[in-house]
Amino acid sequence: MRKTTASGEAKVAGERSLLLGIGISAVGIGMYVPFSLVFFHHVTGLSLTVVGLVMTVTGLAGLAFMPLAGTAVDRFGAKRVNLLLYGVRALGFALYPLASSLPAFAAVALVTALADRSFSVVQQSLIGEVARGAARDRLQASTRALQNAGMGAGALLVTGVLALWGTGGFTYTAWGNALAFALAGLLVGRVRAVRAVPGAGAAGAPVTGSAGYRTVLRDRPFLGLTAANFLTALGYSALSVLFPLYLSTWLRAPDSLTGAAFTVNTALCAGIGVLIAGRVRRSGARRTRSAALGAVLFAAAFVGQIALGTLRPGRTATLIALLVIVVVYTLGELVHSPSGGALSVSAAPEAVRGRYLATYQLSYSLAGALAPSLFTALLAVDGRLPWAVLTVAALGAALALLRLERHLPAEAVHAEPPAVPGAAARPVPVTAAA
């Protein structure tokens, strides 16, 4: 018999190992992402200019590789590709301290970037491979909470390492990352996929003919879902890209408030993310509607920034207002992320899930690539203008999600199959035990 949670949801075989592995890998990510340029500069000895150029080129190559990662998932399975990417990342960070020449660094950075950029596609596909129904929403929420907690812990850990050993500690950090990714791979290897339904996709749609990216491009509801997510993803970029610029140039507030905002966001995501997602899930809300609610909360936070930028109160009032805005923004993130993620996974036919999710994840990547130039251009005109654009984008995403609801598969929209009024329960045949 399959185990269930306290709320009656089926537990995933190897779920604890999966989540522990995700948390450990997040610690590894947190140990280098906040210091990425400086990290690779000190580890390799190359100049910051060279490191920055290599990271840009390899990052773009990683984006181009994402469709191939989706194809690999469909051909070999998400778990196998996931373990391969963990292995590549572990090997890459183990080799970084030895890559002191430009060709060596470029080669290691390229291979590692391909794995890093593709990882989100493969991890989302893995959730679809090992979980069904509401368990997907629960795993989405738990994954996000652990990633935030792990990255925060990793940043604190590397700060302690640097305090003890100075910049030489970056080498130990690289090896620590390699160990974290290797250990995460061993743990994730214990998860077990649920049995697929022959001849059908995850959303119950039959898979026929040539299953490739042409299948994705013909699926207009899924492309609409991806476009809606692009609008929401611009809002996800706001905290890291727009917020610090807005504080310093328009509000003339201390830069330290940026760190405080990030701390509040990370603490809330790690501390109450699973609780909020659980409340939404148990309410029975359709995934499209809860994701739309998250987008509306984003819009409310952006309107708050416009009001704050118009009134420009004193320092204490600004601090309180920013705290409230960040809390509302984070609640939007906590409501939208699990539902939006589970919606995309469940809307993808099982046989081509990797390709579908590679397409969906490009919406995040494109939004992240566009955000810096878009936000700075709008900010140069008026500090409130980028927030106004984000408000319209978030409300547009919410409206699109609601309109797409009747066009998406029922299994994608509902975490649990909706009850049919008047339908009698079908008797379960009893077979003799062997």
Side-chain angles (χ1 to χ4, degrees), residues 14 56 58 71 75 81 138 208 223 233 276 299:
T56 298
T58 57
T71 302
R75 180 168 298 179
V81 180
R138 189 185 72 250
T208 59
L223 293 181
I276 295 294

Side-chain angles (χ1 to χ4, degrees), residues 2-3 10-18 79 130-131 138-139 187-194:
R2 205 170 181 193
K3 295 181 179 179
K11 290 198 70 174
V12 173
E15 181 174 330
R16 290 183 180 178
S17 296
L18 171 66
K79 180 180 173 180
V130 303
R138 189 185 72 250
L139 280 182
L187 288 167
V188 172
R190 299 177 64 183
V191 74
R192 295 289 178 266
V194 292

Side-chain angles (χ1 to χ4, degrees), residues 7 23 36 40 70 78 81 86 95 121 162 185 191 216-217 219 227 230 232 267 275 307 352 419:
S7 59
S36 53
F40 292 117
V81 180
Y86 270 129
L95 292 177
V121 175
L162 295 177
V191 74
V216 186
L217 296 177
D219 192 336
F230 171 78
T232 312
L275 175 65
V352 284

Side-chain angles (χ1 to χ4, degrees), residues 11-29 82-83 86 89 119 123 126-127 138-139 141-151 153 179-191:
K11 290 198 70 174
V12 173
E15 181 174 330
R16 290 183 180 178
S17 296
L18 171 66
L19 293 176
L20 181 58
I22 289 171
I24 290 174
S25 67
V27 172
I29 294 169
N82 185 276
L83 295 178
Y86 270 129
R89 296 163 100 190
F119 192 78
Q123 182 165 278
L126 181 63
I127 289 175
R138 189 185 72 250
L139 280 182
S142 300
T143 295
R144 189 162 190 85
L146 283 169
Q147 285 173 335
N148 278 276
M151 289 181 68
L179 181 62
F181 289 133
L183 181 57
L186 291 175
L187 288 167
V188 172
R190 299 177 64 183
V191 74

Side-chain angles (χ1 to χ4, degrees), residues 297-382:
L297 288 171
F298 270 174
F302 301 149
V303 170
Q305 293 284 24
I306 295 172
L308 183 60
T310 301
L311 299 174
R312 297 189 186 186
R315 176 167 293 188
T316 301
T318 297
L319 178 61
I320 294 172
L322 285 173
L323 176 61
V324 172
I325 288 169
V326 170
V327 169
V328 173
Y329 173 90
T330 305
L331 287 176
E333 183 179 342
L334 296 179
V335 172
H336 175 272
S337 181
S339 299
L343 183 61
S344 65
V345 171
S346 301
E350 190 153 346
V352 284
R353 182 186 291 138
R355 293 174 174 91
Y356 266 67
L357 294 182
T359 303
Y360 186 81
Q361 289 296 320
L362 278 174
S363 63
Y364 281 112
S365 300
L366 291 175
L370 177 63
S373 58
L374 175 64
F375 293 159
T376 51
L378 294 174
L379 195 65
V381 178
D382 189 293

